[in-house]
Amino acid sequence: CRSLRTGTHPLNHPRPNSTYASNMSDSLEPRLRRLEDLTEIHRLFVDYGAALDAGDFTAYAALFARDGELLLGPMGRAKGPEAIEPLMRTTLDGQVGSSLHIISSPQVVLNGDRGTARVMWTVIHRDANGQPRLTMVGHHHDDLVREDGRWRFAKRRGTIEFPTTFSAPQLD
């Protein structure tokens, strides 16, 4: 595949600079730290979806750095946890408990205390009969930062791919 030779992913996400095999000569400590970082970042993604689904917007906002930005296209934008929390309260008012966010396909590139990531998200809502309906699919493009010893979102940009134009889900 041409993209593998050039070091970029077909989805324009940079490939990590090293492979597991090339890291084998590194000491155990940096390798362990990398695995711990990746595990914590994956937990950050899962906690994001869980906080949304539970309507815990205080926990949701705490996932962002002190000057972290949330850019959700037509749904809104905010900077800092103090602005992110009320944005999400207003945006999802009356919808808590009606959806499930599935976070998948994380691609993470680390560079010290910073990183970038791309994750896919899928939203399933319950219709009027309680049946699941797939309503949205998209990606988050993230800038990550280790702040006070924890990984946080420095910037999270959401892209909705299905439907191609944003509209509130129709729940029959």
Side-chain angles (χ1 to χ4, degrees):
C1 175
R2 185 182 151 286
S3 62
L4 292 177
R5 288 191 303 272
T6 62
T8 60
H9 187 274
L11 298 174
N12 296 325
H13 188 78
R15 289 182 58 223
N17 292 330
S18 59
T19 64
Y20 177 75
S22 67
N23 281 335
M24 291 304 289
S25 62
D26 291 345
S27 69
L28 184 59
E29 189 172 320
R31 290 174 35 211
L32 179 59
R33 177 61 182 247
R34 177 177 167 72
L35 289 174
E36 289 172 339
D37 287 346
L38 290 172
T39 299
E40 184 178 343
I41 290 167
H42 287 199
R43 182 84 243 163
L44 180 68
F45 300 148
V46 171
D47 289 348
Y48 178 94
L52 276 177
D53 295 339
D56 188 345
F57 303 118
T58 301
Y60 176 92
L63 300 173
F64 289 81
R66 284 184 287 276
D67 62 349
E69 294 181 76
L70 176 63
L71 307 170
L72 296 178
M75 292 178 65
R77 58 181 47 217
K79 185 171 185 173
E82 300 80 19
I84 291 170
E85 182 177 348
L87 169 69
M88 296 312 294
R89 259 184 222 294
T90 302
T91 301
L92 297 178
D93 185 43
Q95 296 182 45
V96 172
S98 68
S99 66
L100 175 66
H101 290 76
I102 300 169
I103 312 299
S104 62
S105 307
Q107 300 169 325
V108 178
V109 177
L110 295 175
N111 185 11
D113 288 340
R114 296 210 161 261
T116 59
R118 182 177 190 271
V119 298
M120 178 185 280
W121 52 265
T122 304
V123 180
I124 300 173
H125 277 87
R126 289 188 191 100
D127 67 15
N129 297 319
Q131 296 302 307
R133 292 256 174 106
L134 178 73
T135 55
M136 285 190 280
V137 176
H139 286 88
H140 283 295
H141 303 269
D142 301 316
D143 295 333
L144 305 165
V145 64
R146 188 190 329 260
E147 184 177 84
D148 300 326
R150 302 295 310 234
W151 284 98
R152 301 280 182 242
F153 296 111
K155 184 181 284 188
R156 180 153 247 218
R157 296 169 296 281
T159 302
I160 299 171
E161 298 179 23
F162 303 111
T164 55
T165 58
F166 177 78
S167 61
Q170 297 297 314
L171 304 177
D172 302 319

